[in-house]
Amino acid sequence: AVVSTQSTGMKEVLLTILILFVEPIRSYEPAIGGSTIEEPASINIMDDVENLEDAMSGWGTDEQELIDILTNRAYNTRLRIARVYEDRYSDTLWEEIKSETSGDFRTALKALVMPEARFLAEEMRNAMKGWGTNEDTLILCLMLSLPDYDTMQGIKDYYQAIYDTSLEEALKDETKEPFQTLLVEIIKRPRFDEKAELDPEALEEDYNDINEFITARKIKDIVYLLTSRSLSHISMLQEKYYQNQEVELYTVLETITDHHIKDGLVSLMSVASDFPRYCAYELYNSMDGRGTDEGALTRIVATRADKDLKVIKALYSDMFGDSLYDDIDDDTSGDYRKTLLALL
């Protein structure tokens, strides 16, 4: 565990800078027709703030009021509510919610009142603190932010500001090769123009290189190649590989890797090919079999509700023959269930 030498006051200053000056310019635009959140046409931020405070003051908590407000406000509106709440009551909305709620319900509300990048940064920290590391959580958090350069940068910024160490150093401390290299290279990816015309010669060169790396089982070389290409380029590389080899690239990678590096590479392939489909599969996986992975369920539903959850819901139904609403209804309970279903 890393011991922070950064003062509480300095941390608060850094977080304030991120929230007030950096967060508003990050790109959090929903996919067209993709958001499941239907915000009222007319909203009074101060009324929302006061109603949230009333729901948590005195004896007991009005959980339904928290759900009704926070699941019916768009991302930017929720951040404004959180800022006004802190200005008015000299305490953060999250700290108040944390003191009044518990369990998965608390985590779901946390995802709704925090900047997405900060929420994912804290999820990654939780996956690495204490004994052992939850590699599946690390993969999911990075995959959810992979298509959005600003979110990925935000995760690194918040991690540094809150924990007084870089995300890269934390990953190096808590993971092993070659999985470590995959994660580190993912967070170091530059901004790509995913709409740029692809270079056929570069694609051919990558196809030849990856064939060589697969034959020689040069896993790190595969990692360096795939993490340094745009998602659209990786998608076309997979298409070219299938056309020539009549087998999916991810299937071949599964045969030469194992454990977490296999999961990470296959996830990267899936995100590059069809991000909403990747999310639909991970939602199904979180509820399949015995037990439910509430953490994965929360991360996907809460972070995609403002963006493309409507698309993910439709894909889920096409892929698995069941509605996402019904499956979540069956696999969750209480106020946590109410929150997720309201977001759908």
mmCIF file of all heavy atoms in Angstrom, residues 122-144:
data_model
loop_
_atom_site.group_PDB
_atom_site.id
_atom_site.type_symbol
_atom_site.label_atom_id
_atom_site.label_comp_id
_atom_site.label_asym_id
_atom_site.label_seq_id
_atom_site.Cartn_x
_atom_site.Cartn_y
_atom_site.Cartn_z
ATOM 1 N N GLU A 122 -11.626 5.538 -8.457
ATOM 2 C CA GLU A 122 -11.791 4.981 -7.113
ATOM 3 C C GLU A 122 -12.122 3.489 -7.168
ATOM 4 O O GLU A 122 -11.715 2.720 -6.286
ATOM 5 C CB GLU A 122 -12.855 5.764 -6.350
ATOM 6 C CG GLU A 122 -12.433 7.211 -6.096
ATOM 7 C CD GLU A 122 -13.258 7.892 -5.007
ATOM 8 O OE1 GLU A 122 -14.042 7.202 -4.314
ATOM 9 O OE2 GLU A 122 -13.113 9.121 -4.859
ATOM 10 N N GLU A 123 -12.841 3.070 -8.203
ATOM 11 C CA GLU A 123 -13.104 1.645 -8.378
ATOM 12 C C GLU A 123 -11.807 0.879 -8.625
ATOM 13 O O GLU A 123 -11.614 -0.234 -8.119
ATOM 14 C CB GLU A 123 -14.069 1.426 -9.546
ATOM 15 C CG GLU A 123 -15.498 1.858 -9.269
ATOM 16 C CD GLU A 123 -16.190 0.977 -8.245
ATOM 17 O OE1 GLU A 123 -16.594 -0.141 -8.594
ATOM 18 O OE2 GLU A 123 -16.300 1.415 -7.074
ATOM 19 N N MET A 124 -10.917 1.475 -9.402
ATOM 20 C CA MET A 124 -9.631 0.823 -9.666
ATOM 21 C C MET A 124 -8.791 0.761 -8.397
ATOM 22 O O MET A 124 -8.117 -0.246 -8.125
ATOM 23 C CB MET A 124 -8.895 1.546 -10.792
ATOM 24 C CG MET A 124 -9.583 1.436 -12.140
ATOM 25 S SD MET A 124 -8.612 2.110 -13.522
ATOM 26 C CE MET A 124 -7.351 0.830 -13.697
ATOM 27 N N ARG A 125 -8.827 1.830 -7.616
ATOM 28 C CA ARG A 125 -8.093 1.828 -6.346
ATOM 29 C C ARG A 125 -8.612 0.727 -5.415
ATOM 30 O O ARG A 125 -7.829 -0.006 -4.797
ATOM 31 C CB ARG A 125 -8.251 3.181 -5.669
ATOM 32 C CG ARG A 125 -7.658 3.271 -4.262
ATOM 33 C CD ARG A 125 -6.155 3.167 -4.268
ATOM 34 N NE ARG A 125 -5.590 3.496 -2.963
ATOM 35 C CZ ARG A 125 -4.306 3.706 -2.731
ATOM 36 N NH1 ARG A 125 -3.449 3.629 -3.715
ATOM 37 N NH2 ARG A 125 -3.882 4.002 -1.524
ATOM 38 N N ASN A 126 -9.943 0.622 -5.334
ATOM 39 C CA ASN A 126 -10.532 -0.414 -4.486
ATOM 40 C C ASN A 126 -10.144 -1.811 -4.949
ATOM 41 O O ASN A 126 -10.023 -2.732 -4.136
ATOM 42 C CB ASN A 126 -12.055 -0.278 -4.472
ATOM 43 C CG ASN A 126 -12.528 0.971 -3.741
ATOM 44 O OD1 ASN A 126 -11.814 1.510 -2.895
ATOM 45 N ND2 ASN A 126 -13.714 1.437 -4.081
ATOM 46 N N ALA A 127 -9.952 -1.964 -6.257
ATOM 47 C CA ALA A 127 -9.569 -3.268 -6.804
ATOM 48 C C ALA A 127 -8.138 -3.640 -6.460
ATOM 49 O O ALA A 127 -7.760 -4.810 -6.541
ATOM 50 C CB ALA A 127 -9.741 -3.268 -8.330
ATOM 51 N N MET A 128 -7.331 -2.635 -6.060
ATOM 52 C CA MET A 128 -5.918 -2.896 -5.803
ATOM 53 C C MET A 128 -5.513 -2.781 -4.344
ATOM 54 O O MET A 128 -4.405 -3.158 -3.981
ATOM 55 C CB MET A 128 -5.052 -1.941 -6.650
ATOM 56 C CG MET A 128 -5.120 -2.194 -8.138
ATOM 57 S SD MET A 128 -3.975 -1.159 -9.103
ATOM 58 C CE MET A 128 -4.881 0.392 -9.154
ATOM 59 N N LYS A 129 -6.390 -2.260 -3.480
ATOM 60 C CA LYS A 129 -5.981 -2.065 -2.094
ATOM 61 C C LYS A 129 -6.201 -3.338 -1.286
ATOM 62 O O LYS A 129 -7.018 -4.185 -1.640
ATOM 63 C CB LYS A 129 -6.722 -0.891 -1.472
ATOM 64 C CG LYS A 129 -8.186 -1.120 -1.185
ATOM 65 C CD LYS A 129 -8.805 0.131 -0.566
ATOM 66 C CE LYS A 129 -10.272 -0.094 -0.201
ATOM 67 N NZ LYS A 129 -10.889 1.115 0.367
ATOM 68 N N GLY A 130 -5.475 -3.446 -0.202
ATOM 69 C CA GLY A 130 -5.600 -4.622 0.647
ATOM 70 C C GLY A 130 -4.904 -5.827 0.038
ATOM 71 O O GLY A 130 -4.064 -5.714 -0.850
ATOM 72 N N TRP A 131 -5.289 -7.002 0.524
ATOM 73 C CA TRP A 131 -4.680 -8.236 0.033
ATOM 74 C C TRP A 131 -5.307 -8.643 -1.296
ATOM 75 O O TRP A 131 -6.513 -8.715 -1.439
ATOM 76 C CB TRP A 131 -4.859 -9.356 1.049
ATOM 77 C CG TRP A 131 -4.080 -9.136 2.298
ATOM 78 C CD1 TRP A 131 -4.546 -8.665 3.487
ATOM 79 C CD2 TRP A 131 -2.680 -9.359 2.488
ATOM 80 N NE1 TRP A 131 -3.535 -8.579 4.413
ATOM 81 C CE2 TRP A 131 -2.369 -9.006 3.833
ATOM 82 C CE3 TRP A 131 -1.659 -9.827 1.661
ATOM 83 C CZ2 TRP A 131 -1.083 -9.089 4.351
ATOM 84 C CZ3 TRP A 131 -0.370 -9.921 2.190
ATOM 85 C CH2 TRP A 131 -0.104 -9.553 3.512
ATOM 86 N N GLY A 132 -4.464 -8.911 -2.265
ATOM 87 C CA GLY A 132 -4.955 -9.358 -3.558
ATOM 88 C C GLY A 132 -5.410 -8.217 -4.449
ATOM 89 O O GLY A 132 -5.607 -7.087 -4.004
ATOM 90 N N THR A 133 -5.570 -8.535 -5.719
ATOM 91 C CA THR A 133 -5.995 -7.552 -6.717
ATOM 92 C C THR A 133 -7.128 -8.146 -7.535
ATOM 93 O O THR A 133 -7.064 -9.313 -7.931
ATOM 94 C CB THR A 133 -4.826 -7.191 -7.656
ATOM 95 O OG1 THR A 133 -3.776 -6.602 -6.882
ATOM 96 C CG2 THR A 133 -5.257 -6.214 -8.735
ATOM 97 N N ASN A 134 -8.154 -7.349 -7.778
ATOM 98 C CA ASN A 134 -9.264 -7.795 -8.611
ATOM 99 C C ASN A 134 -8.977 -7.373 -10.050
ATOM 100 O O ASN A 134 -9.313 -6.262 -10.472
ATOM 101 C CB ASN A 134 -10.582 -7.191 -8.113
ATOM 102 C CG ASN A 134 -11.789 -7.783 -8.808
ATOM 103 O OD1 ASN A 134 -11.726 -8.146 -9.985
ATOM 104 N ND2 ASN A 134 -12.892 -7.887 -8.095
ATOM 105 N N GLU A 135 -8.332 -8.263 -10.788
ATOM 106 C CA GLU A 135 -7.930 -7.943 -12.159
ATOM 107 C C GLU A 135 -9.120 -7.719 -13.082
ATOM 108 O O GLU A 135 -9.044 -6.908 -14.017
ATOM 109 C CB GLU A 135 -7.039 -9.064 -12.715
ATOM 110 C CG GLU A 135 -5.664 -9.148 -12.080
ATOM 111 C CD GLU A 135 -5.636 -9.966 -10.795
ATOM 112 O OE1 GLU A 135 -6.729 -10.455 -10.388
ATOM 113 O OE2 GLU A 135 -4.555 -10.114 -10.210
ATOM 114 N N ASP A 136 -10.219 -8.432 -12.849
ATOM 115 C CA ASP A 136 -11.401 -8.252 -13.691
ATOM 116 C C ASP A 136 -11.943 -6.825 -13.598
ATOM 117 O O ASP A 136 -12.390 -6.249 -14.600
ATOM 118 C CB ASP A 136 -12.499 -9.237 -13.280
ATOM 119 C CG ASP A 136 -12.153 -10.675 -13.626
ATOM 120 O OD1 ASP A 136 -11.277 -10.887 -14.487
ATOM 121 O OD2 ASP A 136 -12.753 -11.589 -13.039
ATOM 122 N N THR A 137 -11.894 -6.254 -12.395
ATOM 123 C CA THR A 137 -12.344 -4.875 -12.218
ATOM 124 C C THR A 137 -11.438 -3.906 -12.966
ATOM 125 O O THR A 137 -11.909 -2.956 -13.603
ATOM 126 C CB THR A 137 -12.392 -4.506 -10.724
ATOM 127 O OG1 THR A 137 -13.381 -5.297 -10.082
ATOM 128 C CG2 THR A 137 -12.731 -3.031 -10.528
ATOM 129 N N LEU A 138 -10.144 -4.125 -12.904
ATOM 130 C CA LEU A 138 -9.200 -3.259 -13.621
ATOM 131 C C LEU A 138 -9.480 -3.289 -15.116
ATOM 132 O O LEU A 138 -9.511 -2.246 -15.784
ATOM 133 C CB LEU A 138 -7.759 -3.703 -13.348
ATOM 134 C CG LEU A 138 -7.274 -3.623 -11.897
ATOM 135 C CD1 LEU A 138 -5.827 -4.101 -11.802
ATOM 136 C CD2 LEU A 138 -7.396 -2.205 -11.350
ATOM 137 N N ILE A 139 -9.691 -4.492 -15.645
ATOM 138 C CA ILE A 139 -9.973 -4.623 -17.075
ATOM 139 C C ILE A 139 -11.249 -3.876 -17.437
ATOM 140 O O ILE A 139 -11.280 -3.084 -18.388
ATOM 141 C CB ILE A 139 -10.097 -6.109 -17.480
ATOM 142 C CG1 ILE A 139 -8.744 -6.818 -17.350
ATOM 143 C CG2 ILE A 139 -10.609 -6.226 -18.922
ATOM 144 C CD1 ILE A 139 -8.827 -8.327 -17.526
ATOM 145 N N LEU A 140 -12.314 -4.111 -16.686
ATOM 146 C CA LEU A 140 -13.602 -3.499 -17.012
ATOM 147 C C LEU A 140 -13.538 -1.977 -16.943
ATOM 148 O O LEU A 140 -14.046 -1.287 -17.836
ATOM 149 C CB LEU A 140 -14.691 -4.020 -16.075
ATOM 150 C CG LEU A 140 -16.103 -3.455 -16.307
ATOM 151 C CD1 LEU A 140 -16.578 -3.737 -17.728
ATOM 152 C CD2 LEU A 140 -17.086 -4.028 -15.297
ATOM 153 N N CYS A 141 -12.916 -1.433 -15.909
ATOM 154 C CA CYS A 141 -12.826 0.027 -15.780
ATOM 155 C C CYS A 141 -12.090 0.639 -16.967
ATOM 156 O O CYS A 141 -12.504 1.680 -17.499
ATOM 157 C CB CYS A 141 -12.133 0.406 -14.475
ATOM 158 S SG CYS A 141 -13.136 0.124 -12.997
ATOM 159 N N LEU A 142 -11.016 0.002 -17.399
ATOM 160 C CA LEU A 142 -10.251 0.536 -18.527
ATOM 161 C C LEU A 142 -11.000 0.348 -19.843
ATOM 162 O O LEU A 142 -10.948 1.221 -20.720
ATOM 163 C CB LEU A 142 -8.874 -0.119 -18.593
ATOM 164 C CG LEU A 142 -7.922 0.233 -17.444
ATOM 165 C CD1 LEU A 142 -6.553 -0.402 -17.654
ATOM 166 C CD2 LEU A 142 -7.778 1.752 -17.288
ATOM 167 N N MET A 143 -11.691 -0.775 -20.001
ATOM 168 C CA MET A 143 -12.446 -0.989 -21.232
ATOM 169 C C MET A 143 -13.591 0.013 -21.354
ATOM 170 O O MET A 143 -13.894 0.495 -22.448
ATOM 171 C CB MET A 143 -12.988 -2.418 -21.279
ATOM 172 C CG MET A 143 -11.934 -3.498 -21.447
ATOM 173 S SD MET A 143 -10.884 -3.304 -22.908
ATOM 174 C CE MET A 143 -9.292 -3.008 -22.134
ATOM 175 N N LEU A 144 -14.237 0.338 -20.239
ATOM 176 C CA LEU A 144 -15.341 1.302 -20.269
ATOM 177 C C LEU A 144 -14.874 2.687 -20.673
ATOM 178 O O LEU A 144 -15.647 3.478 -21.230
ATOM 179 C CB LEU A 144 -16.029 1.361 -18.899
ATOM 180 C CG LEU A 144 -16.877 0.148 -18.517
ATOM 181 C CD1 LEU A 144 -17.377 0.275 -17.085
ATOM 182 C CD2 LEU A 144 -18.057 -0.024 -19.474
#
